[in-house]
Amino acid sequence: MLWLLTVLGIVGLLLFDFFFHVRKAHVPTLGEAARWTAIYVSIALLFGLGVTIFGGGQMGAEYFAGYVTEEALSVDNLFVFLLLLSSFKVPRADQQKVLLVGIAVSLAARTGFIFLGAALINSFAWVFYLFGLILLLTAGNLLREQGRDDDETPDNFVIRVARRFLSTSDVYDGDKLFTDQDGRRVMTPMLLVMVAIGGTDILFALDSIPAIFGLTQNVYLVFTATAFSLLGLRQLYFLIDGLLDRLVYLSYGLAAILALIGVKLILHAMHENNVPFINDGDPIHAAEISTGLSLTLIVGILTLTVVVSLLSPKGRAQTSVAAARRRALEFLDIESDPNYCDEIFHRLLDEEKQLSQLPERYRKRVRAQEELMALIRRAHEEHTARVADGRCFAPADPGSDGTR
């Protein structure tokens, strides 16, 4: 009965989200995104309080550790979602539907992964070793990926397969999945980007599911912590869109957390060891990391990561450049709605202002990026042209030519 009520509640939240928020395409305001993010986080916290009251302190700590970890990994996933939506040039008003459908697909797939993982753990103790190694390798990959170009378009197996087998048109028709083109029925890019978002999020499960099993083996807690971390992801995307670029050291924090949980899993595997070629199949008496200590370390690492990211001058310069480039591309290539293009342009002006307030050595590096400077100038010229023919409502700020 508890499982049934929980599943019905989660499905109800998804349906409510679709019919009352997403069905009609619109760009959520900051207040709307903040309000609904707070509601979903509150639901998750109240659920955790209920777990603590009815299941005890240990179960409560396991749920909160799992939820915080999954939420942190979800925030990291938003970076990839941001690049995907930009790559497919999804209009801002239609991004909510893309995210919700992708999240629903991911939740269904992750549920299957959770039950598969639980079955493996119950049958084979060595799976703890495997999960631990997966997390340690993922932590290493996160550190290596810090050196890559953040503006690089994501390209993984799911996207390549989708591009190959799903024939689509090159233009959107509102938020429709199919449209008529040259007398035949074709799919719009909307369907392809939904497949890409959902498939990419499924790939993220390869590290998030082992991570949460490292904190609790209670399948109900694994499922609920995963579900609640995904449910509020759409609202969170629009809330922290402008803040994403500032979290430049988030991957370092996540790498530390995944490494911590990986070590915790391996220590647990040693304690439960029955692998014949390790200690002759006998358990190894090793100290285990408690759930309370894990939760404390996870929260501490995330707090430190966010604070250092926000205070770092280098991070501020790096993120301002990335944000300015993305705003300019969004204005030039994606948004044509007069109700929104001016908002995007003024966000670009805000990013330019941030660039102008950087220390001189960073401003000099920015001015040396000819491609970025040319892109910003194009955006200003296009804005002037749009204002002249009524495709944008407000005039550009006097004196803003994108060169400062």
Side-chain angles (χ1 to χ4, degrees):
M1 181 60 70
L2 180 61
W3 270 99
L4 179 62
L5 292 174
T6 302
V7 172
L8 289 176
I10 290 171
V11 171
L13 287 172
L14 285 171
L15 292 175
F16 175 82
D17 227 4
F18 179 79
F19 285 105
F20 290 94
H21 292 143
V22 174
R23 193 175 186 182
K24 182 179 179 181
H26 71 285
V27 181
T29 64
L30 183 62
E32 178 185 343
R35 183 166 58 254
W36 284 103
T37 297
I39 289 173
Y40 275 98
V41 170
S42 297
I43 291 173
L45 295 179
L46 288 173
F47 183 85
L49 181 61
V51 169
T52 303
I53 293 172
F54 295 104
Q58 177 66 21
M59 285 188 67
E62 290 178 3
Y63 167 80
F64 281 114
Y67 173 72
V68 171
T69 300
E70 290 295 299
E71 195 69 37
L73 290 170
S74 295
V75 170
D76 191 51
N77 298 349
L78 290 180
F79 285 97
V80 180
F81 291 171
L82 184 65
L83 293 177
L84 277 172
L85 293 172
S86 298
S87 171
F88 284 98
K89 299 181 180 180
V90 182
R92 185 78 166 178
D94 298 323
Q95 291 180 4
Q96 289 200 94
K97 183 174 290 187
V98 171
L99 288 170
L100 184 62
V101 172
I103 288 168
V105 171
S106 172
L107 180 57
R110 287 194 187 203
T111 301
F113 287 153
I114 288 170
F115 284 106
L116 175 61
L120 289 173
I121 287 173
N122 290 332
S123 302
F124 309 105
W126 54 263
V127 171
F128 287 111
Y129 285 117
L130 177 62
F131 281 3
L133 289 174
I134 288 174
L135 294 182
L136 291 175
L137 289 173
T138 303
N141 286 334
L142 281 174
L143 294 177
R144 283 200 299 271
E145 288 173 0
Q146 280 296 300
R148 80 178 194 278
D149 183 3
D150 288 333
D151 296 309
E152 182 181 350
T153 301
D155 185 27
N156 58 41
F157 175 76
V158 173
I159 299 173
R160 290 195 297 270
V161 170
R163 286 187 183 277
R164 180 175 180 181
F165 292 102
L166 295 178
S167 177
T168 67
S169 67
D170 296 327
V171 295
Y172 290 90
D173 185 6
D175 59 359
K176 295 179 181 178
L177 301 183
F178 297 89
T179 188
D180 293 318
Q181 187 177 71
D182 299 327
R184 61 191 181 97
R185 196 76 168 164
V186 296
M187 290 176 288
T188 69
M190 183 66 69
L191 182 58
L192 181 58
V193 71
M194 285 179 176
V195 171
I197 291 286
T200 302
D201 203 40
I202 290 172
L203 293 180
F204 290 143
L206 297 179
D207 55 59
S208 68
I209 297 302
I212 194 168
F213 270 117
L215 297 167
T216 176
Q217 283 82 61
N218 185 307
V219 180
Y220 181 73
L221 296 183
V222 172
F223 171 75
T224 51
T226 300
F228 284 125
S229 70
L230 289 174
L231 282 175
L233 200 56
R234 177 186 62 81
Q235 295 86 351
L236 189 63
Y237 173 84
F238 289 96
L239 177 63
I240 67 173
D241 179 15
L243 192 62
L244 280 175
D245 289 308
R246 295 300 306 272
L247 302 178
V248 287
Y249 298 119
L250 179 63
S251 290
Y252 291 109
L254 292 177
I257 290 171
L258 292 178
L260 167 69
I261 300 174
V263 171
K264 176 179 169 65
L265 274 169
I266 291 175
L267 289 174
H268 182 73
M270 293 168 64
H271 188 74
E272 302 288 333
N273 181 62
N274 60 8
V275 180
F277 55 84
I278 299 179
N279 198 38
D280 296 325
D282 295 327
I284 301 173
H285 298 291
E288 293 199 59
I289 302 174
S290 69
T291 303
L293 178 59
S294 299
L295 177 58
T296 302
L297 290 174
I298 289 168
V299 172
I301 291 170
L302 286 176
T303 302
L304 180 63
T305 299
V306 171
V307 171
V308 172
S309 293
L310 295 178
L311 295 180
S312 166
K314 180 180 178 181
R316 189 159 66 97
Q318 177 181 325
T319 54
S320 294
V321 167
R325 179 181 290 110
R326 193 171 69 253
R327 296 302 181 198
L329 288 172
E330 189 176 3
F331 178 80
L332 289 167
D333 297 338
I334 300 176
E335 288 301 332
S336 58
D337 184 350
N339 293 304
Y340 190 64
C341 74
D342 190 66
E343 180 181 341
I344 287 293
F345 182 76
H346 280 85
R347 288 190 182 187
L348 173 60
L349 293 181
D350 290 340
E351 299 301 341
E352 289 181 59
K353 184 177 180 181
Q354 293 295 324
L355 290 174
S356 69
Q357 293 175 349
L358 294 173
E360 175 57 29
R361 59 172 178 162
Y362 293 115
R363 293 204 304 273
K364 185 176 180 180
R365 294 176 189 175
V366 171
R367 290 193 295 268
Q369 298 187 36
E370 296 180 3
E371 177 268 337
L372 174 63
M373 293 293 98
L375 189 66
I376 293 176
R377 280 193 292 269
R378 276 182 53 211
H380 280 267
E381 292 167 0
E382 176 66 17
H383 184 266
T384 301
R386 291 186 189 184
V387 170
D389 59 22
R391 289 178 295 146
C392 234
F393 292 146
D397 286 357
S400 287
D401 59 0
T403 59
R404 58 187 175 181

